[in-house]
Amino acid sequence: MEPQRICHPLKPVFDSRSQVLLLGTMPSPRSRAEGFYYAHPRNRFWLVMGQVFGEPVPETAEGRRRFCLKHGVALWDVLSSCVICGAGDDSIREPSPNPVEAVLQAAPVRAVFTTGRKAFTLYNRYCLSRTGMQAFSLPSTSPANCAVSPEQLETAYRAILPYCLEV
């Protein structure tokens, strides 16, 4: 697979009640094709979120959007564009950041988490100076991160709960 320049096609998910911001790096080819975050069927993000909140896994883009907003979770990615090979974060070159601070100015976000080490590194390099808000790194839910079990992911992602809305 050849590296391609990708421009981020998805809008951030947030509203005036969003308390926690989860940031990935860049939507995968499947997420770009389906028009929503973490759409690859083997990505464990939605399974983990369902477990963390004790709810059924949302199956549609609109259901996933409602799920996030119900719990005060905002979603976006650190990058607005980059050169990338497929969905491989390790292949990212020529990154340009999203204006993450715009979400923080529009919503009462109390904590920022990244969904993987690469997103954490990129956030610290390109966004931290503009946001002034430290991020916490969570493990990637990508199928490529098979060394982390579903149980370990659930335990790690429970760190967002103190910042989420109670329903």
Side-chain angles (χ1 to χ4, degrees):
M1 182 175 286
E2 290 292 314
Q4 294 180 289
R5 169 148 302 275
I6 301 297
C7 291
H8 198 295
L10 307 178
K11 293 183 185 210
V13 173
F14 72 96
D15 67 11
S16 63
R17 301 178 335 126
S18 298
Q19 303 281 312
V20 61
L21 174 59
L22 296 179
L23 294 169
T25 52
M26 176 64 77
S28 70
R30 183 69 174 260
S31 293
R32 294 191 306 267
E34 293 195 19
F36 205 74
Y37 299 89
Y38 306 100
H40 192 285
R42 289 190 13 240
N43 190 302
R44 300 171 288 173
F45 181 83
W46 295 109
L47 175 67
V48 168
M49 293 296 280
Q51 292 169 334
V52 165
F53 289 103
E55 293 187 15
V57 176
E59 299 293 333
T60 66
E62 186 52 36
R64 291 170 176 177
R65 179 179 174 68
R66 281 194 310 269
F67 180 97
C68 287
L69 297 178
K70 171 184 175 182
H71 294 290
V73 174
L75 290 180
W76 207 13
D77 288 310
V78 174
L79 299 181
S80 67
S81 70
C82 67
V83 173
I84 190 170
C85 188
D89 281 358
D90 290 342
S91 71
I92 290 174
R93 297 190 328 264
E94 303 174 34
S96 295
N98 267 320
V100 174
E101 65 277 9
V103 172
L104 301 180
Q105 292 164 359
V109 171
R110 298 185 301 136
V112 176
F113 291 84
T114 62
T115 60
R117 270 185 255 134
K118 186 68 169 192
F120 183 73
T121 299
L122 291 166
Y123 176 87
N124 285 332
R125 179 174 296 151
Y126 296 107
C127 303
L128 178 59
S129 64
R130 294 192 327 257
T131 66
M133 190 172 240
Q134 291 288 331
F136 302 95
S137 181
L138 297 171
S140 172
T141 56
S142 165
N145 190 21
C146 58
V148 179
S149 73
E151 296 77 22
Q152 290 169 313
L153 287 172
E154 181 183 347
T155 298
Y157 276 70
R158 286 188 175 281
I160 72 172
L161 287 175
Y163 305 99
C164 294
L165 295 176
E166 305 228 3
V167 289

